[in-house]
Amino acid sequence: MVAVSPSSSPLVSIDRVHAARAVADELGVDVLVVTPGSDLRYLCGYDAHAMERLTALAVPRRGEPLLVVPRLEAPMIGASPAGALGLEVLAWDETDDAFARLAEAVTERLGSAPTRVAVGSRTWAEHALGLQRALPGSVLELASPVIDRLRMVKTPAEVEELALAGAAIDRVHARMGEWLRVGRTEAEVGSDIAAAILAEGHVGVDFTIVGSGPNGASPHHELSDRVIGAGDLVVVDIGGETATGYRSDCTRTYLVGGFAARGLRDWYSVLQRAQAAAVAAVRPGVTCAQIDAVARDVITQAGLGEYFIHRTGHGIGLDSHEAPYIVAGNDLPLEPGMAFSIEPGIYLPDRYGARIEDIVVCTDDGVRNLNNGPRELVELPG
């Protein structure tokens, strides 16, 4: 074992590790094993690089948690927020069997080999299989029921990080007239947007979707060499990562350099009503499925239901997409602190599409909107 020096962060606390252990114990899980990714960063503040060498936080239902790391990376713990948590660090050498070392440490803490081992949903297969080999009597399962339960409900500090991210992406949308013009390609516009995402306060660009004309009817279209024409409807969905790891995600739809096609304003107003109604419906106790239904019903009653082809929203935090998911069939009740998107869309194949997306937070008595740019059809000159 090695000692580490502390480097604190107001967003990370040993309480998260203890809370994960309590939920795991409640669910009968013997040990959580969390490898590099957002779950590891959430629980202990260590933003480790995923690679073939095993790095993992092991949280047994009894005994102290420990970080298993390659010895060459052990000094990095102290430089991260994890260094302030007082976690025991098991540093393994290149000739060691890291999985066997982890299994031995966990078995010692529990007093017997674990039978239920929960691993992170994005654990590499070679790591999951290595763990199973080292614990042949165990059954592997997903750690999502434990960790999602914690991550879904944001602390006030997390909400403020998301609010800062939302304000930064709003500033990018407010500058869209600088780049989105007739005669430019989607790729050229996307390049300018990506630079602005960084300039306005992010440290990384997660995605830039610029879907013009018929490309707007493909919700996850990104960029192409299509030239934007007069009268094009353009869907712009953008997001990035802030220095603390929290994400932004906001979509607006623009009409560029010309008159709107006949009937377009009418069905865009349907989309506005659907998005506004779903946001207004957010409050504690309402289920995710009910929020989805509010948006979907408005669009369906207008005769456009077949063109709304995705869920109404997704959670956001250290990942752009995380629980809770605002979708039919998800009967999870909303709780104060849950943060998620409200983003209905209407997509007419081979013609055009539109989407309006805000990040919102369920509060004690309703909803807080973290995106505050205009939601009407934004008209830009050619």
Side-chain angles (χ1 to χ4, degrees):
M1 305 294 178
V2 299
V4 296
S5 58
S7 174
S8 63
S9 165
L11 290 167
V12 178
S13 166
I14 192 64
D15 291 345
R16 288 182 174 178
V17 179
H18 293 161
R21 178 168 58 189
V23 175
D25 188 38
E26 176 190 332
L27 298 179
V29 171
D30 293 313
V31 61
L32 295 174
V33 179
V34 182
T35 52
S38 58
D39 284 344
L40 182 65
R41 188 173 186 178
Y42 174 82
L43 287 175
C44 71
Y46 186 32
D47 189 17
H49 176 63
M51 60 177 178
E52 76 282 358
R53 293 184 177 99
L54 179 68
T55 293
L57 172 67
V59 185
R61 64 194 300 183
R62 291 189 300 276
E64 293 303 310
L66 72 155
L67 266 171
V68 179
V69 299
R71 188 173 298 279
L72 77 165
E73 295 196 345
M76 296 167 62
I77 304 294
S80 80
L85 302 188
L87 292 167
E88 187 175 346
V89 177
L90 190 164
W92 58 273
D93 294 308
E94 295 280 40
T95 55
D96 289 342
D97 182 336
F99 301 100
R101 294 284 306 276
L102 186 156
E104 179 183 7
V106 168
T107 298
E108 181 181 350
R109 283 161 167 73
L110 292 172
S112 61
T115 57
R116 291 183 62 192
V117 179
V119 298
S121 59
R122 299 177 189 178
T123 298
W124 284 14
E126 65 178 295
H127 292 161
L129 293 173
L131 189 62
Q132 193 165 56
R133 172 181 52 77
L135 293 166
S138 67
V139 174
L140 295 189
E141 57 190 87
L142 290 178
S144 302
V146 175
I147 301 174
D148 284 359
R149 191 158 132 188
L150 303 177
R151 288 183 58 176
M152 277 193 294
V153 180
K154 270 59 179 179
T155 65
E158 288 181 287
V159 170
E160 291 313 307
E161 290 299 323
L162 288 170
L164 289 172
I169 213 68
D170 281 353
R171 292 194 294 272
V172 179
H173 273 293
R175 297 177 56 190
M176 204 58 59
E178 297 177 29
W179 320 299
L180 188 54
R181 297 189 299 274
V182 172
R184 303 197 76 206
T185 67
E186 293 173 353
E188 288 170 338
V189 174
S191 178
D192 289 335
I193 291 172
I197 288 172
L198 299 178
E200 293 293 351
H202 295 74
V203 298
V205 178
D206 285 337
F207 51 88
T208 54
I209 292 174
V210 181
S212 64
N215 290 339
S218 173
H220 278 178
H221 172 83
E222 292 188 353
L223 303 170
S224 76
D225 291 329
R226 184 182 185 277
V227 176
I228 296 164
D232 270 354
L233 202 61
V234 185
V235 178
V236 178
D237 184 352
I238 53 178
E241 177 185 1
T242 65
T244 55
Y246 287 83
R247 311 286 169 150
S248 64
D249 186 0
C250 182
T251 308
R252 293 294 184 262
T253 302
Y254 299 87
L255 178 64
V256 182
F259 295 103
R262 185 174 182 177
L264 187 152
R265 294 184 192 280
D266 291 337
W267 68 255
Y268 187 85
S269 70
V270 171
L271 183 61
Q272 276 188 280
R273 293 199 306 273
Q275 204 264 352
V279 171
V282 173
R283 62 184 183 277
V286 176
T287 69
C288 295
Q290 287 172 323
I291 300 299
D292 179 86
V294 168
R296 203 165 300 278
D297 287 350
V298 173
I299 295 173
T300 299
Q301 288 167 13
L304 295 164
E306 66 181 294
Y307 304 117
F308 180 13
I309 58 177
H310 54 70
R311 64 194 175 203
T312 293
H314 56 81
I316 192 170
L318 290 174
D319 286 315
S320 296
H321 287 195
E322 60 183 57
Y325 294 99
I326 311 304
V327 64
N330 185 1
D331 294 325
L332 178 74
L334 297 179
E335 298 179 38
M338 287 183 173
F340 47 90
S341 67
I342 298 289
E343 51 176 306
I346 298 173
Y347 310 94
L348 304 182
D350 302 319
R351 295 171 64 190
Y352 37 69
R355 183 165 63 255
I356 305 170
E357 176 184 17
D358 292 331
I359 301 302
V360 304
V361 180
C362 181
T363 65
D364 289 334
D365 56 1
V367 63
R368 176 183 176 186
N369 205 318
L370 302 187
N371 294 110
N372 294 290
R375 297 171 189 89
E376 64 267 23
L377 185 60
V378 180
E379 299 188 37
L380 300 176

